[in-house]
Amino acid sequence: MEKDFWRAIIANKCAVPDSYTPSQLLPELLENLGSLDAELRDDLSLFILSSWLEGNKYSPMEMRAMVAPLKTNLKHGLGESGTDSVFRRTFSAITLAELVHVDNKGAYLTREEVHEILDAGLEYLLAERDLRGYVPAKGWAHALAHTADLLMVLARSVHCEKNELQRILNAVSAQLVNSGQTHYTHDEDERLVNAIVAILNRDIVEAQTLADWVESLSQAKTEGWKDAYQDPSANRARHNVKTFLRSLHYRLTKIETPPPNCDSLLVSLREGLKVITPWA
């Protein structure tokens, strides 16, 4: 379909066009997730697909059938950096997030299926090497932010309990500690914070576990990142960890309804930030 076809759907408040069904248009919408045209990929196809998913335009069977190919897409070109394959991976991640979000509102996925999405999402989080934010002429890639959105909705899922939430925490820590290849400058920290706040709101992870998790970030390197400035890669990772911890601290101080364990976590965050920036 030409872009004008999709533009007309959005102009008509995402009403399904005459002579078509959402099911008939689904294969093309999914294929467009890998398009190099930012408008077609993001502004049109993802927007319409998300609207129709949330508007119950697809049956539970159809939505469940989307999961497997989207998980496969997460491995499409995985390990490459600076190539166009990233768009199919990252926009598959955010579409999986939309599917889990719909399940959170009205269950259609099984516990096993949600856990399989979690497995795929965590594997992708740690294996993605193309962490560009905005790509000139091609639009948003934003793999880390999109994966953070997936982790956020998974953290809200009733199918994810303490063990699964701890796995998310550990994976976020591992990703940040080993993020020296990229200096995060496109609000990736804020999107990761959303996932952590979702975990805190579940109130099933103990305060000590959260304190240990902060320490896994602040004490990841010998003497708390003290010598990181001597190595460009280590210093980028230090910056990413510091920015994330600061963003989480700020969010918890400003949030209207603080989550459980907020006070003790704030103490841990302040102590962790002192280790990373002792001169501040």
Side-chain angles (χ1 to χ4, degrees):
M1 301 291 184
E2 298 295 327
K3 285 195 288 186
D4 282 345
F5 174 81
W6 304 112
R7 289 172 182 147
I9 293 176
I10 291 179
N12 198 27
K13 299 181 179 179
C14 287
V16 179
D18 294 339
S19 303
Y20 291 95
T21 67
S23 300
Q24 290 172 325
L25 296 173
L26 180 60
E28 188 165 348
L29 286 170
L30 292 174
E31 180 60 28
N32 289 346
L33 296 178
S35 172
L36 303 187
D37 183 320
E39 182 189 12
L40 179 61
R41 179 184 68 248
D42 199 345
D43 300 336
L44 299 175
S45 298
L46 179 64
F47 187 91
I48 292 168
L49 183 55
S50 297
S51 176
W52 286 354
L53 285 169
E54 294 198 37
N56 299 313
K57 301 298 184 184
Y58 295 107
S59 70
M61 183 177 297
E62 287 176 309
M63 291 189 289
R64 292 174 74 182
M66 294 181 207
V67 172
L70 289 170
K71 289 193 300 180
T72 297
N73 286 350
L74 296 181
K75 298 182 179 181
H76 172 73
L78 188 61
E80 297 175 2
S81 182
T83 68
D84 294 334
S85 65
V86 67
F87 295 105
R88 187 168 303 283
R89 294 193 299 274
T90 182
F91 278 82
S92 294
I94 202 164
T95 304
L96 283 168
E98 189 63 48
L99 287 167
V100 175
H101 174 60
V102 172
D103 182 71
N104 288 345
K105 296 193 297 181
Y108 68 92
L109 294 170
T110 66
R111 177 184 177 87
E112 181 180 3
E113 287 169 331
V114 171
H115 285 190
E116 288 174 353
I117 294 173
L118 175 64
D119 291 343
L122 294 181
E123 180 181 354
Y124 176 59
L125 175 72
L126 297 176
E128 179 60 81
R129 293 295 174 264
D130 193 337
L131 296 165
R132 290 173 293 171
Y134 187 82
V135 181
K138 296 177 182 177
W140 288 102
H142 231 191
L144 183 54
H146 288 186
T147 311
D149 291 351
L150 174 57
L151 298 181
M152 176 185 68
V153 293
L154 284 165
R156 294 172 177 167
S157 172
V158 296
H159 296 302
C160 290
E161 299 180 354
K162 182 166 67 173
N163 180 64
E164 287 72 42
L165 300 188
Q166 290 176 343
R167 289 181 63 202
I168 294 174
L169 288 170
N170 293 339
V172 168
S173 175
Q175 202 289 328
L176 288 167
V177 167
N178 296 289
S179 63
Q181 70 194 73
T182 305
H183 187 183
Y184 297 145
T185 59
H186 290 87
D187 292 334
E188 291 88 350
D189 54 309
E190 298 289 351
R191 302 282 274 273
L192 286 170
V193 164
N194 290 339
I196 303 307
V197 171
I199 290 174
L200 297 176
N201 284 331
R202 294 289 303 281
D203 193 21
I204 55 177
V205 177
E206 295 89 348
Q208 186 58 53
T209 299
L210 295 170
D212 292 343
W213 170 70
V214 172
E215 187 172 327
S216 76
L217 287 157
S218 63
Q219 300 279 8
K221 302 296 182 182
T222 303
E223 298 186 30
W225 303 89
K226 179 181 177 181
D227 298 324
Y229 70 92
Q230 298 180 33
D231 175 74
S233 177
N235 200 39
R236 283 191 292 268
R238 183 193 68 85
H239 173 87
N240 292 336
V241 169
K242 179 184 68 173
T243 301
F244 168 73
L245 292 178
R246 282 180 172 174
S247 295
L248 179 56
H249 183 276
Y250 181 79
R251 180 78 64 85
L252 293 178
T253 62
K254 297 298 182 180
I255 199 165
E256 186 173 338
T257 303
N261 291 322
C262 182
D263 290 342
S264 61
L265 181 55
L266 283 170
V267 171
S268 297
L269 289 168
R270 286 192 287 270
E271 291 175 349
L273 285 166
K274 286 179 182 178
V275 172
I276 297 174
T277 54
W279 52 85

